[in-house]
Amino acid sequence: MSMSRRRLLGAGGGLTLTGALASACGSNTGRDGDDHAGQPVIEQWYHQYGEPGTEQAVRRYADAFEQANVRVQWRPGNYDQQTAAALLTDSGPDVFEASGPTLDQIQGGQVVDLTELLSEAKDDFNQAVLEQKTYQGKVWGIPQVIDTQLLYYRKSLLEDAGLEPPRTLDALIDAAKKLTTKEVKGLFLGNDGGPGVLAGTPLNAAGLSLVTEDGKVGFDDPAAARTLGKLHQLYAEKSLLLGAPSDWSDPAAFTQGLTAMQWSGLWALPQVQKALGDDFGVLPFPQDGPDGKPAVPVGAYGAAVSARTKHKAEAKAYVKWLWVDRTEYQEDFALRYGFHIPARISLARKAAKLRSGAAGEAARYATDYGHVSEPLLWTAASKTDYQDALSRIIKGGANPDRELRSVIRKAEAELRRVKKKS
């Protein structure tokens, strides 16, 4: 299981500037063969993927670019923090992977506007992940692949209990209770009971959002308290698996029969299929309320260009060549070394591995019901306040309306703060 998948749709880490630059000096591996002699040198950074073959693939792509000598750096450790530090120096990358770029990087002028690169292909990119890389109408990162989260369920266990796959939140709560026995819990949402991984997904399932399109708090609505309050019922009825040997990102609890249903990532699907064959299905997070709809959180690393690059034209040309024009490389990167969805809708639709079965359903859910896991304007402070409140609601039975009132006030202040920097 790759650390990158957890970080993309979840948490991060930290690294000092000194450590970042030391790592930069120690890990620079490029190629200066005759084919690229005398050409501009572009440093390209990737975080360390866990899937075998990925590093070799991106080096092969770089070798094929004819306009510059592209040197790939494969960066272990806390990549996002390394990159953030390096972008403030002249030792950073020209082209780099970014889970954003972040709002601070955009507002600070640290990255280049890439809008023109998508002049003909913009509508073919998954709009949820493209939205997360768009600020004030401009695109600051080109999505590479999509990772998403899904509800996995054991078909046989639901059938034995006379249950249909849950398509509403009420049905999920009911199913989790009925599927819970002395040996098996009904649902696994992570060892913390769900706050860490669910984030804004239940709000989206209620027809709401963390941040609206016009930059306002998107859950100042009674439906938010109603939906989040229901999650406490799962905890109170002891339907949730807690304290599993591994957390939500690993499907082991599901494949080993510790839980009948589990929220996990698309990356887990090959492992689940290998362990259970056809005895499983996947669903979006179930909708809640009359205005709700199924919800699927999506995230995507994207290619960005540093504003400090001395070869801006070549760096932009390379990003367009690799992540817009060379669709065969994009499909290869998404599906040959791990299990992800191509960021291009047309590629996702035609990819053989995504045409049928659970994989095909997952790809369709991401397109039809996808929402960005962390909107660009949703700051780290707002995220912490919200997740702390969600934890108190789920595990402590705290009053959801009162908890959300406090979160809304703080989130509104954060949104005003970041807007002032625009």
Side-chain angles (χ1 to χ4, degrees):
M1 165 57 207
S2 169
M3 281 294 293
S4 64
R5 308 280 69 87
R6 297 197 293 272
R7 182 166 63 247
L8 179 57
L9 289 168
L15 190 75
T16 64
L17 176 61
T18 301
L21 297 185
S23 179
C25 295
S27 64
N28 184 8
T29 55
R31 39 110 180 104
D32 297 298
D34 293 339
D35 289 348
H36 297 279
Q39 291 186 329
V41 174
I42 294 174
E43 300 284 351
Q44 182 186 23
W45 286 17
Y46 287 90
H47 79 285
Q48 185 180 31
Y49 286 77
E51 297 90 341
T54 310
E55 180 179 2
Q56 291 76 14
V58 298
R59 293 188 186 282
R60 174 166 50 86
Y61 308 154
D63 280 337
F65 186 61
E66 297 181 349
Q67 298 179 37
N69 181 0
V70 181
R71 295 179 177 178
V72 170
Q73 285 197 28
W74 200 247
R75 315 237 355 138
N78 296 311
Y79 173 83
D80 291 340
Q81 297 301 322
Q82 293 178 35
T83 306
L87 288 176
L88 300 174
T89 76
D90 291 329
S91 301
D94 299 288
V95 176
F96 63 99
E97 272 193 326
S99 54
T102 67
L103 186 60
D104 285 342
Q105 290 165 354
I106 295 170
Q107 291 182 330
Q110 298 174 34
V111 289
V112 173
D113 175 9
L114 303 180
T115 308
E116 64 184 271
L117 306 189
L118 292 181
S119 58
E120 299 178 0
K122 185 176 181 180
D123 291 342
D124 191 38
F125 279 80
N126 181 289
Q127 295 304 296
V129 293
L130 188 61
E131 172 193 331
Q132 202 268 341
K133 303 182 187 309
T134 302
Y135 181 63
Q136 294 185 336
K138 297 178 180 179
V139 177
W140 302 92
I142 307 301
Q144 297 174 178
V145 295
I146 297 172
D147 279 306
T148 187
Q149 298 164 9
L150 301 156
L151 179 67
Y152 290 81
Y153 65 92
R154 286 287 293 272
K155 290 180 179 180
S156 59
L157 293 181
L158 267 68
E159 290 171 0
D160 290 347
L163 297 169
E164 293 292 325
R167 300 185 182 277
T168 67
L169 182 55
D170 290 334
L172 176 65
I173 294 169
D174 181 63
K177 182 178 180 180
K178 292 180 178 177
L179 290 167
T180 296
T181 66
K182 291 182 179 180
E183 293 80 23
V184 180
K185 288 292 187 177
L187 178 62
F188 184 40
L189 297 174
N191 284 325
D192 65 353
V197 63
L198 291 182
T201 300
L203 298 176
N204 287 94
L208 307 172
S209 62
L210 291 170
V211 181
T212 64
E213 291 183 2
D214 57 354
K216 298 179 181 178
V217 172
F219 52 96
D220 189 1
D221 188 292
R226 179 202 69 212
T227 295
L228 298 187
K230 289 182 179 181
L231 298 177
H232 172 64
Q233 190 175 341
L234 288 164
Y235 188 87
E237 294 178 344
K238 299 183 178 180
S239 302
L240 294 178
L241 174 65
L242 303 170
S246 56
D247 215 339
W248 66 270
S249 58
D250 187 332
F254 183 64
T255 58
Q256 293 174 11
L258 302 180
T259 181
M261 299 181 290
Q262 177 175 336
W263 187 255
S264 190
L266 175 65
W267 56 83
L269 197 147
Q271 293 172 262
V272 173
Q273 199 159 37
K274 182 178 180 180
L276 302 178
D278 294 330
D279 188 21
F280 78 98
V282 294
L283 287 172
F285 192 88
Q287 70 183 68
D288 187 51
D291 298 320
K293 60 180 180 180
V296 175
V298 296
Y301 268 106
V305 174
S306 169
R308 287 179 176 261
T309 179
K310 296 178 181 178
H311 305 291
K312 186 177 296 183
E314 290 85 357
K316 290 172 66 176
Y318 176 61
V319 169
K320 183 176 186 296
W321 173 84
L322 180 54
W323 298 114
V324 179
D325 300 337
R326 296 302 296 265
T327 54
E328 73 276 22
Y329 286 165
Q330 295 158 34
E331 184 174 354
D332 180 74
F333 185 73
L335 291 165
R336 187 172 179 183
Y337 312 101
F339 200 80
H340 322 286
I341 300 173
R344 301 283 292 271
I345 296 172
S346 59
L347 292 182
R349 286 176 176 167
K350 76 174 187 178
K353 291 183 178 180
L354 299 174
R355 285 180 185 170
S356 61
E361 291 178 341
R364 178 170 58 82
Y365 294 151
T367 300
D368 294 348
Y369 306 127
H371 66 270
V372 63
S373 54
E374 292 186 4
L376 192 59
L377 295 179
W378 190 244
T379 67
S382 295
K383 174 182 176 179
T384 299
D385 289 337
Y386 172 79
Q387 289 190 350
D388 287 348
L390 187 55
S391 181
R392 290 190 292 269
I393 292 169
I394 292 177
K395 300 174 72 172
N399 182 284
D401 184 67
R402 184 170 60 248
E403 291 288 339
L404 288 177
R405 287 290 109 204
S406 176
V407 174
I408 289 168
R409 287 194 300 271
K410 295 176 182 178
E412 286 175 339
E414 276 291 283
L415 289 171
R416 288 193 296 269
R417 180 183 68 81
V418 298
K419 288 177 182 178
K420 286 181 180 179
K421 295 172 64 177
S422 301

